[in-house]
Amino acid sequence: MTLEEVRGQETTMEIVDRVQSAGTSLEDLLVAAKKQDYLTVGVYESAKIMNVDPDSVAFCVLATDEEYECDIALQIHFTLIQAFCFDNDINVVRVNDIERLADLVGSDATGEPKDAHCILVTSPSANPWKDPSLDKLSLFCEERRSMYDWVPTITLPER
């Protein structure tokens, strides 16, 4: 039996369970990274980090919802960020619940929700940060890429 045949036998429930598990891992990763001050939130802030220190980027989350699907400028930024991530071997996922992500990453100094369209999990190059959730998400992304899903969509768990 080939690998493709084995994958073909996976049930829809197994795939759903894996995606839900990835959602829980993503939430855990974002909470842990926020505590360590390893989050960069915002499209422009993320672009700056990627330009200045791409080796510090460990994971990328792109978020949108129906309100922003037609925002051409945002989609262009997403395309450029994805290309940068692919070129630098950075795992990238999409999340369709920007409000939930904004809740997870918090608000800025004025109390306004941060622009959660792009979130980077960073890690200092001198002392790399290891987190089990990051490892789980890396495996999830690798598995999805083997199925030609280059930017998998993750659903965050309900709260």
Side-chain angles (χ1 to χ4, degrees):
M1 186 176 274
T2 66
L3 184 58
E4 287 78 18
E5 291 171 336
V6 171
R7 284 203 178 115
Q9 292 178 354
E10 284 184 321
T11 66
T12 304
M13 284 305 284
E14 289 172 332
I15 294 169
V16 169
D17 287 344
R18 240 183 257 123
V19 171
Q20 287 175 343
S21 174
T24 301
S25 294
L26 179 59
E27 182 177 14
D28 294 344
L29 176 66
L30 292 176
V31 169
K34 182 180 176 185
K35 287 179 185 175
Q36 296 288 327
D37 198 29
Y38 289 163
L39 283 184
T40 300
V41 181
V43 173
Y44 298 108
E45 293 82 358
S46 297
K48 285 185 222 173
I49 292 292
M50 289 177 166
N51 190 37
V52 173
D53 190 11
D55 292 335
S56 71
V57 180
F59 198 79
C60 178
V61 180
L62 300 175
T64 190
D65 57 17
E66 291 178 13
E67 180 181 344
Y68 294 100
E69 282 182 359
C70 296
D71 186 338
I72 300 301
L74 184 61
Q75 297 308 318
I76 291 170
H77 286 295
F78 281 1
T79 301
L80 294 172
I81 289 169
Q82 288 173 42
F84 181 88
C85 289
F86 294 150
D87 286 347
N88 290 282
D89 295 323
I90 300 166
N91 289 315
V92 58
V93 297
R94 278 196 181 246
V95 174
N96 289 331
D97 191 351
I98 193 163
E99 290 177 12
R100 180 89 169 87
L101 275 176
D103 288 343
L104 286 171
V105 298
S107 56
D108 62 16
T110 64
E112 290 292 316
K114 293 183 180 178
D115 171 23
H117 285 106
C118 183
I119 301 171
L120 298 181
V121 176
T122 58
S123 176
S125 300
N127 185 17
W129 177 59
K130 292 294 180 187
D131 186 86
S133 296
L134 182 58
D135 293 336
K136 289 177 187 174
L137 286 166
S138 294
L139 287 173
F140 173 79
C141 288
E142 184 178 324
E143 179 182 273
R144 299 306 299 175
R145 277 192 304 272
S146 72
M147 298 167 63
Y148 302 106
D149 185 5
W150 301 109
V151 183
T153 300
I154 292 180
T155 303
L156 294 170
E158 294 293 322
R159 293 287 171 205

